């Protein structure tokens, strides 16, 4: 219990980061390299802060409103960037994030300018945050099995093939942007309400980098990966403080090693292992008898010589 | 007019920085997020050297280039190459490479922050002194001149090499399909190492010149340049030297104009808004090759 | 089968053209595919066969022309609606999803027309349907159903493609070089399968360079060259057509005719 | 926690335990480690003095240093750890506004006294439990007035970082007010952001405006660049800055920066006796090193806390808070000179610091 | 002379090739036949250094090249036309061909470039267009032409006729014969057994990762019934 209280900030941050990581991971799963979720994080953070400070809206109503707003923005954004793909799209979304942060700095009264907003006191509890995450994870589980998973795989790996098989690629992508916006905003809003403040400094390139690192190292195909990534990168800095001034170096080395040795993320690494074990037990569809038979057939062919036949 | 020169100088700095990154990315498909730290570490090593012995600018440039090359080659050999070996599919490896680069960048940044405590450092101990000249009504300094010339020459050389030399073609082939490139007799490992060496040297040179020009840089300087460079490369279109040149210049002009006529606060918004707009109309940047895809 | 004669053709394409800048990949080609028949398209490399299939499946925009399924035009509809109307296809290159097993790849085909509401089909329990099992069995993929596409030989991968299309239980099947990379006995198996499917009422349009197999399999052949139609008719008519012989068939076939 | 010093069991006025434990959350790594490092030196010096003097009687003050780096989450997490560990009586807080704003509500809710340094943003001091020992520049910036008069400055340009709350506040409200109060007109006002590296374009504009003075309100590392580039562009007027010019930040600009002045909350050359005492002690402890403002603030923060504890005569957090409040009402002489408080926020007289090309000096104006 | 001796290749625990031997002498064509999944492609890729060899040897003109990196093997004079075309899609046709001649001198390359264009005029027509937009058959021609560019001493072809129209198959096979006659050793995997046998000098039949027959093509042609039994009725045409 003491441990829980002492590390409450990190525990909460783990779940917030989990949602943030998901907002990057969801588009990635359908093959869209988008960081717009980080921008939604900002939208959600500010929306929740403004609603709480100015209008005294209850926590879950503020979060809900922020989520809806960001989901709509996410959807509209997907319409705007419909023609973009790959790293070009990634750049456009980075631009989106940075523009949002500039807007926050220049938002005057509304956003509190460079100071940001503070005093967003609410009744959001850690339990509430965890409950939201559990619901999100449960919903995502449904997308990771059966037909929906296959559709998502198809849209990511081969959009054209998906089309010819009756899978709407464009709606799927729009949905991904919308969900990503909602999740990002949820993370941002809850973080603001837990910390009671938001400042434009939070919305920077490092947040993008953090979100990406969590997803890639945890695993980009399943919410479990995002969760593992969130756990690692929320707690790693604290754990590393034992190495003192060189913690930054150790942190970097850990990231590098993970990138090299876990090409499909931690979750992928576990799956690969499982696959390998399964592969060991699978026998080649070969029966030596068959070969023998075939060889006998050919013996007759080489009536005068069996040269070359082993 | 002076604004023009200032903008072109800023553009040239971005260019020097982005050039190496663009070449590595556009050819062998390595998007190196440690490019900024490589740049910064080169300047930092040169700084520690120049504190010991007062060195002239050309020597400093050589040192910076050498350090950048070394760092970059080590990054390739120890991080990117193992990633690619384990993941022959370039597209799949792309993300790992980005994250690996982020890791390397944090290592280098942490080292530099530790050593300098993030206090800015400069080359005031170098024998080089900055002089400003008046060319008609325009003022231009000797560092600006060096930067302009260096950027033009290096960009020209890179473009020529990529276009005419067979090695340039081989590099692009590696970027498309490393396995088939090796079937053509291309030594992928060596080519990649060579490219990264060149990219690193460019980063190092940019680090030295920028430090002279700004007077000082700090450990975090490389990171802020990284986003700008990334943006400029995308804006111009990946894999084209003309693209990087255009991209960096547009970015520099936009920023300069905003800073001088509007307000620095909006510089980022305008620059990135511009990139956003351009991408909406040209989804693969200004000089980007169209994606070859057919049914 | 009198209805087949009176009913409109399953697929009708009229004066289809697809131009890429100066390149006229297809330039005024068309055919009428009745229900329960196998039609084949022959033509030299680069004559526009694959492009025609892409146009028919709405994956590339038409420069001009008319497309009809069951007598109804569909130029403006998306490829997805076509799939739901019972059109399935394979591609000239192998396009399996690397992170799904063979079974899952085939299941993907069946997902298109899974019965029940969309929500149920997305979220419900997931057991290989009858159509999937049948497709796997008919293409002889039983042994490798749990393998990953990367582990398959080329010919095996092609079968998975066919199985995936079959799993959708289509009414109209378009096949682009389905047997490339298979040896003769394997081709014969595929050919037999197609004929059996035809007898079950499936209309098929096949593009293939194995003339012998085409002659054995198809009810009707259409020959194209440079994006246009050069000959049409029964297999024997078409292979003995001088223009086809000249542009397409090798010496072996020429001497045959 | 078994020993008699468990503050959870002691109540106000019950006397002090053998040791009082305090957590010091400082940025020892990352982008602002120079601040954490120097501040910590000041804290260490103060702790040494307090314990040697027996300022708290037999009670020893124990400061546990934790690295909050430049991460908000880390700093907030450390604060929670301190709060939930009942052996901690108070927190010497971090210097980044973002970190402080995250800690303040937690501290307030859990009644944990925190004393920040730097952290100039508005949202930092929101309740009774949080204090700050760095006076906002606006409270002493007016001392530049005499300098403006002496130098007969009539026109000025302004360049500030609009992404940083403290600097924005200065650039938008405080400095223009001070300037205009002194009859100087502002000809230009430009802004840059945290990422700005290149000041040439804006320098050209400022040179063109040809003002008598330019005010630079920038981040530490930006200062030498802006100064060098202004001078390279041929700017010859006065350059006036703020505290970020201190702490050796102008060193890399060398000669270019000679003559730059700024109102500062602290200068080692200040004549205030308590400052000189601090400087001497500091030099003695750290091999003749001259303390900068971060060190002075760390020192003052620690002394404020120690005084508060003595006043409270208890290790109880609530009592300590009340003790600090009492000390704050009276003020005291610290490294930054005579300190007074406005609410929970410190006020100092301020000095006019200047860079003479190789080191920091203090300017005393003899005119008017 | 290209010799593959007792090659074993595995994918993890799966043994795909279990002791395959095949050889091709200069000026001769060895045809490799076998069902889908027999291990033909695996053999060629392993010989080329694209897959790790578990045991066995690959010898080119007396020099063992087993286990060397692919680009070194190419420089030794062995070329592979990979299965499934594998052209560099975004590069132009001419750039693809130029890359094929990466290991030889410029003069020599420009000579072979002309030869390739002569053989496949469509490539010349499209030389400045991206290779990825070519039709399937056109890409196959490009892949073949590209391998020619390196002027190898020995060449391995993995189903060169796949996706080619009959006339094209004839001209490619004609070209293969011509190349062999110029003194190059050829190892060719083909599913088109009847046409393959017409130009081949030797035959190796692989089944489930093992060689079940190897001998002169003449023998196979004479005993058509056996080949039929194995490859199916249609194997030798009707
Ligand atoms: N997107 C495109 N852009 C430019 N040209 C194209 C494009 N798609 C196809 N072509 C060209 O159009 C022509 C027809 O191509 P298509 O793939 O339809 O031929 P095909 O008949 O299927 O040939 P094959 O039998 O070799 O597969 C080819 O010359 C090809 O290069
Ligand atoms: N990457 C892989 N991992 C595991 N097994 C593989 C892999 N690649 C091929 N195999 C298996 O190895 C065996 C031989 O495959 P290979 O591709 O060599 O056959 P092939 O003779 O070329 O067949 P085809 O005529 O269909 O091209 C097959 O059983 C195949 O499933
Ligand atoms: Mg085709
Ligand atoms: Mg094969």
């Amino acid at each position: 219990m003491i441990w829980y209280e002492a590390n409450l900030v990190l525990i909460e941050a783990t779940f917030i980061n989990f949602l943030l990581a998901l907002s990057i991971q969801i588009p990635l799963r359908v093959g869209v390299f988008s960081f717009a979720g980080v921008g939604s994080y900002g939208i959600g953070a500010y929306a929740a802060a403004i609603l709480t400070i100015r209008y005294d809206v209850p926590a879950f109503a503020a979060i809900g409103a922020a989520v809806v707003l960001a989901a709509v923005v996410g959807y509209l954004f997907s319409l705007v960037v419909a023609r973009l793909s790959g790293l070009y799209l990634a750049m456009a979304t980075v631009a989106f994030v940075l523009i949002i942060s500039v807007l926050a700095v220049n938002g005057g009264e509304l956003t509190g300018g460079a100071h940001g907003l503070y005093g967003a006191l609410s009744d959001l509890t850690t339990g509430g945050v965890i409950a939201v995450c559990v619901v999100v994870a449960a919903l995502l589980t449904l997308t990771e099995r059966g037909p929906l998973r296959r559709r998502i795989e198809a849209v990511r790996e081969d959009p054209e093939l998906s089309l010819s098989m009756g899978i709407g690629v464009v709606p799927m992508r729009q949905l991904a942007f919308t969900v990503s916006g909602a999740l990002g905003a949820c993370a941002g809003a809850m973080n603001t309400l837990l910390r009671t403040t938001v400042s434009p400094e939070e919305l920077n390139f490092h947040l993008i980098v953090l979100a990406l690192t969590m997803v890639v190292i945890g695993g980009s195909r399943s919410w479990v990966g995002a969760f593992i990534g969130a756990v690692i990168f929320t707690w790693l800095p604290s754990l590393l403080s034992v190495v003192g001034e060189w913690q930054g170096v150790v942190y970097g080395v850990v990231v590098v090693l993970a990138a090299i040795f876990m090409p499909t993320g931690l979750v992928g690494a576990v799956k690969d292992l499982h696959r390998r074990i399964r592969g060991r037990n699978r026998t080649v569809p070969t029966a030596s008898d068959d070969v023998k038979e075939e060889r006998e057939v050919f013996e007759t062919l080489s009536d005068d010589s069996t040269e070359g036949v082993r | 007019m002076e604004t023009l020169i200032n903008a072109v100088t800023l553009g040239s700095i971005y260019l020097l920085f982005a050039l190496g990154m663009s070449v590595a990315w556009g050819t062998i498909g390595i998007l190196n997020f440690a490019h900024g730290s490589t740049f910064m570490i080169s300047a930092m090593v040169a700084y520690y050297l120049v504190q010991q012995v007062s060195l002239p600018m050309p020597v400093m440039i050589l040192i910076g280039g050498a350090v950048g090359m070394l760092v970059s080659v080590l990054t390739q050999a120890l991080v990117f190459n193992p990633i690619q070996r384990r993941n022959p599919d370039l597209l799949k490896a792309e993300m790992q490479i980005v994250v690996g680069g982020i890791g390397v960048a944090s290592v280098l940044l942490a080292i530099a922050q530790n050593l300098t405590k993030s206090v800015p450092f400069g080359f005031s101990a170098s024998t080089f002194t900055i002089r400003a000249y008046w060319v008609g009504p325009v003022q231009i300094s000797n560092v600006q001149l060096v930067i302009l010339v260096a950027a033009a020459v290096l960009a020209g050389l890179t473009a020529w090499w990529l276009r005419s030399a067979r090695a340039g073609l081989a590099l692009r082939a590696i970027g498309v399909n490393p396995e088939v490139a090796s079937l053509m007799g291309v030594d992928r490992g060596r080519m990649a190492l060579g490219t990264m060496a060149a990219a690193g040297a460019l980063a190092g040179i940019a680090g030295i010149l920028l430090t002279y020009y700004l007077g000082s840089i700090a450990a975090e300087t490389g990171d802020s340049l990284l986003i700008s460079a990334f943006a400029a490369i995308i804006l111009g279109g990946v894999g084209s030297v003309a693209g990087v040149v255009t991209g960096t210049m547009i970015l520099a002009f936009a920023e300069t104009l905003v800073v001088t006529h509007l307000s620095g606060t909006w510089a980022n918004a305008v620059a990135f808004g511009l990139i956003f707009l351009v991408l909406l109309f040209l989804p693969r940047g200004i000089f980007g090759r169209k994606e070859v895809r057919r049914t | 089968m009198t209805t087949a004669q009176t009913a409109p053709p399953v697929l009708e394409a009229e004066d289809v053209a697809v131009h890429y800048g100066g390149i006229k990949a297809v330039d005024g080609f068309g055919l009428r595919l009745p229900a329960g028949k196998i039609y084949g398209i022959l033509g030299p490399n680069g004559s526009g066969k694959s492009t025609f299939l892409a146009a028919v499946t709405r994956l590339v925009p038409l420069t001009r022309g008319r497309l009809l399924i069951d007598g109804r035009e569909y130029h403006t509809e998306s490829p997805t609606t076509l799939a739901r109307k019972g059109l399935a296809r394979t591609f000239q290159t192998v396009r399996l999803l690397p992170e799904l097993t063979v079974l899952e790849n085939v299941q993907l085909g069946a997902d298109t027309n899974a019965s029940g509401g969309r929500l149920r089909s997305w979220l419900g329990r997931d057991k290989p349907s009858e159509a999937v099992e049948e497709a796997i069995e008919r293409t002889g993929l039983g042994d490798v159903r749990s393998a990953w596409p990367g582990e398959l030989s080329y010919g095996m991968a092609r079968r998975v493609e066919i199985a995936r299309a079959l799993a959708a239980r289509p009414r109209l099947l378009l096949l682009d070089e389905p047997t490339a990379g298979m040896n003769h006995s394997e081709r014969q198996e595929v050919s037999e399968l197609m004929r059996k499917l035809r007898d079950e009422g499936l209309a098929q349009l096949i593009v293939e360079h194995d003339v012998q197999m085409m002659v054995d399999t198809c009810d009707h052949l259409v020959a194209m060259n440079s994006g246009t139609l050069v000959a049409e008719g029964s297999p024997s008519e078409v292979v003995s057509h001088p223009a086809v012989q000249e542009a397409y068939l090798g010496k072996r076939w020429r001497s045959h005719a | 926690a078994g020993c008699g010093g468990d503050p959870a069991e002691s109540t106000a006025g019950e006397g002090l335990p053998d040791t009082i434990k305090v957590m010091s959350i400082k940025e020892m790594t990352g982008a602002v480690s120079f601040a954490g490092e120097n501040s910590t030196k000041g804290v260490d010096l103060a702790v040494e003095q307090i314990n040697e003097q027996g300022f708290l009687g037999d009670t020893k003050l124990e400061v546990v240093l934790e690295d909050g780096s430049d991460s908000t989450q880390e700093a907030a997490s450390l604060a929670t750890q301190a709060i939930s560990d009942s052996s901690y009586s108070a927190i010497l807080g971090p210097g980044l506004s973002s970190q402080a704003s995250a800690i303040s509500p937690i501290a307030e809710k859990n009644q944990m006294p925190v004393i920040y340094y730097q952290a100039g943003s508005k949202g930092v001091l929101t309740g009774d439990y949080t204090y700050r020992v760095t006076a906002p520049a606006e409270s002493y910036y007016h001392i530049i007035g005499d300098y403006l008069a002496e130098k007969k400055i009539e026109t000025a340009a302004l360049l500030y970082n609009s992404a940083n709350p403290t600097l924005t506040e200065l650039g938008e409200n405080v400095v223009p007010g001070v300037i205009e109060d002194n009859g100087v007109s502002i000809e230009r006002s430009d802004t840059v952001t945290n990422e700005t590296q290149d000041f040439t374009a804006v320098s050209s504009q400022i040179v063109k405006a040809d003002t008598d003075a330019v005010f630079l309100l920038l981040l530490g590392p930006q200062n030498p660049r802006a100064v060098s580039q202004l001078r390279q562009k041929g700017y010859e007027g006065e350059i006036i800055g703020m505290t970020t010019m201190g702490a050796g930040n102008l060193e890399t600009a060398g000669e270019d920066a000679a003559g730059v002045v700024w109102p500062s909350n602290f200068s080692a050359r200040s004549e205030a006796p308590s400052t000189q005492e601090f400087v001497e002690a500091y030099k003695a402890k750290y091999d003749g090193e001259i303390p900068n403002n971060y060190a002075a603030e760390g020192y003052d923060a620690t002394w404020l806390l120690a005084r508060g504890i003595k006043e409270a005569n208890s290790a109880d957090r609530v009592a300590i808070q009340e003790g600090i409040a009492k000390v704050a009402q009276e003020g005291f002489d610290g490294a930054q000179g005579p300190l007074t408080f406005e609410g929970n926020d410190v006020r100092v007289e301020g000095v006019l610091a200047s860079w003479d090309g190789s080191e920091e000096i203090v300017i005393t104006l003899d005119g008017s | 002379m290209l010799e593959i001796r007792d090659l074993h290749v595995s994918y993890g625990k799966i043994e795909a090739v279990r002791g395959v031997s095949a050889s091709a002498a200069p000026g001769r064509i060895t045809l490799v036949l076998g069902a889908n999944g027999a291990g033909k492609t695996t053999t060629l890729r392993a010989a080329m250094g694209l897959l790790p060899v578990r045991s066995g040897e690959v010898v080119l003109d007396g020099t063992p090249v087993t286990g060397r990196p692919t680009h070194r093997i190419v420089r030794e004079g062995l070329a592979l036309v990979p299965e499934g075309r594998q052209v560099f899609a975004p590069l132009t046709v001419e750039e693809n061909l130029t890359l094929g001649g990466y290991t030889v001198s410029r003069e020599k390359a420009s000579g072979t470039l002309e030869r390739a264009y002569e053989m496949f005029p469509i490539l010349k027509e499209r030389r400045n267009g991206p290779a990825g937009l070519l039709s399937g058959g056109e890409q196959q021609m490009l892949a073949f032409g590209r391998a020619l560019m390196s002027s190898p001493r020995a060449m391995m072809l993995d189903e060169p006729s796949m996706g080619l129209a009959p006339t094209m198959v004839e001209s490619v096979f004609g070209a293969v014969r011509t190349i062999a006659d110029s003194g190059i050793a050829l190892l060719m995997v083909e599913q088109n057994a009847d046409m393959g046998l017409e130009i081949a000098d030797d035959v190796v039949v692989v089944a489930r990762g093992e060689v079940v027959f190897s001998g002169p093509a003449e023998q196979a042609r004479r005993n058509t019934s056996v080949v039929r039994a194995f490859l199916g009725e249609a194997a030798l045409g009707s």
Side-chain angles (χ1 to χ4, degrees), chain A residues 232-246:
Chain A
I232 294 177
F233 289 97
T234 310
W235 292 81
L236 192 60
S238 298
L239 297 180
L240 286 182
S241 59
V242 295
V243 293
E245 55 176 344
W246 295 105

Side-chain angles (χ1 to χ4, degrees), chain C residues 6-76:
Chain C
T6 53
V10 185
L11 175 73
E12 192 172 355
E14 235 177 64
D15 191 30
V16 168
V18 179
H19 296 179
Y20 298 104
I23 298 170
K24 299 179 173 175
V26 180
D27 196 21
F29 182 78
L31 51 74
R32 296 159 61 90
L33 171 60
K37 294 278 183 220
I38 303 181
Y39 272 35
I41 305 182
L42 292 179
N45 294 119
S47 58
K49 305 178 295 295
S50 300
T51 310
F52 176 69
L53 290 195
V56 165
T57 47
R58 302 272 309 115
L59 292 174
V60 298
L62 289 187
T63 306
R64 64 164 199 272
R66 253 159 61 87
L67 296 171
L68 304 93
I69 281 186
D70 295 332
R72 267 196 297 277
E73 290 203 34
Y74 67 92
H75 324 108
T76 51

Side-chain angles (χ1 to χ4, degrees), chain D residues 349-360:
Chain D
E349 288 169 359
V351 293
L352 206 50
S354 175
W355 181 261
D356 73 354
S358 53
E359 61 176 327
E360 195 176 311

Side-chain angles (χ1 to χ4, degrees), chain E residues 34-53:
Chain E
N36 288 147
K40 308 179 293 292
T41 301
T42 306
T43 306
L44 299 201
R45 287 173 58 83
M48 210 56 212
L50 293 172
L51 290 174
V53 171

Side-chain angles (χ1 to χ4, degrees), chain A residues 195-209:
Chain A
R195 299 279 81 81
T196 76
T197 65
V198 56
S199 89
E201 280 175 31
E202 290 174 42
L203 269 188
N204 54 20
F205 196 59
H206 288 281
L207 195 60
I208 295 180
V209 166

Side-chain angles (χ1 to χ4, degrees), chain B residues 225-292:
Chain B
L225 273 177
L226 193 69
I227 314 175
S228 300
F230 181 58
I233 294 172
I234 290 274
L235 181 60
V238 182
S240 137
V241 175
V244 205
V245 175
T246 320
T248 48
M249 289 301 161
I250 290 180
L251 202 61
F253 268 86
E255 282 182 12
T256 308
L257 287 180
V258 175
V259 167
T260 52
H261 293 292
L262 207 66
S263 139
T265 325
W266 290 97
N268 263 348
V270 172
F272 287 107
L274 184 78
I275 288 168
F276 196 86
L277 278 184
V278 171
L279 284 181
L280 291 189
F281 292 102
L282 300 166
R284 303 194 68 80
I286 297 170
F287 285 91
R289 273 186 285 269
K290 256 178 76 180
E291 205 181 1
V292 177

Side-chain angles (χ1 to χ4, degrees), chain B residues 13 17 34-44 203-204 206-208 210-211 217 221-222 225:
Chain B
I13 286 177
F17 182 86
H35 197 75
S37 329
T38 308
F39 155 99
M40 180 271 305
I41 281 283
S42 312
M44 194 186 78
I208 302 295
L210 186 70
T211 310
I217 65 165
T221 303
L225 273 177

